[in-house]
Amino acid sequence: MNDGLIEELVQWQRRLSEALLQRCPEVQGNKWLLGVQIAEDLDVQGERWEAQKHGAGVVFTRRAPAPHLVVDMHVVVSDPEVIDPWRVQKFAESKGQPLSYDEAESLLRRSSVG
């Protein structure tokens, strides 16, 4: 398994969260995204991303260039340092790397030990 996956995901979360907060400053500190509608197209480092609110989070999907990566910040969108097995699993799968929840959890444990 590619241990660089975690760092790559965190980097994308930082970039995407920053881009979203610039476009929608009302997201900052709004833990549950109450009263916030998000359906945005974002340009992030020359790449086209779509941001769509779901529940208390936002799913970001890269539309161009391919592949269509997915960064699912399902909670705490304004804190890109938050990472959990669900996020790792969804990101890995979007890269064509099948990863179970348990494998994602193990990968996270290993990355935080070093």
Side-chain angles (χ1 to χ4, degrees), residues 35-60:
V36 178
Q37 296 300 316
I38 299 170
E40 301 286 335
D41 286 324
L42 303 171
D43 182 299
V44 180
Q45 295 185 324
E47 298 182 355
R48 191 168 59 85
W49 288 78
E50 176 183 283
Q52 184 70 42
K53 178 184 171 186
H54 71 94
V58 175
V59 63
F60 298 91

Side-chain angles (χ1 to χ4, degrees), residues 62-80:
R62 185 169 73 181
R63 295 298 178 198
H68 298 297
L69 298 179
V70 173
V71 176
D72 192 342
M73 297 178 72
H74 62 104
V75 293
V76 198
V77 174
S78 61
D79 186 353

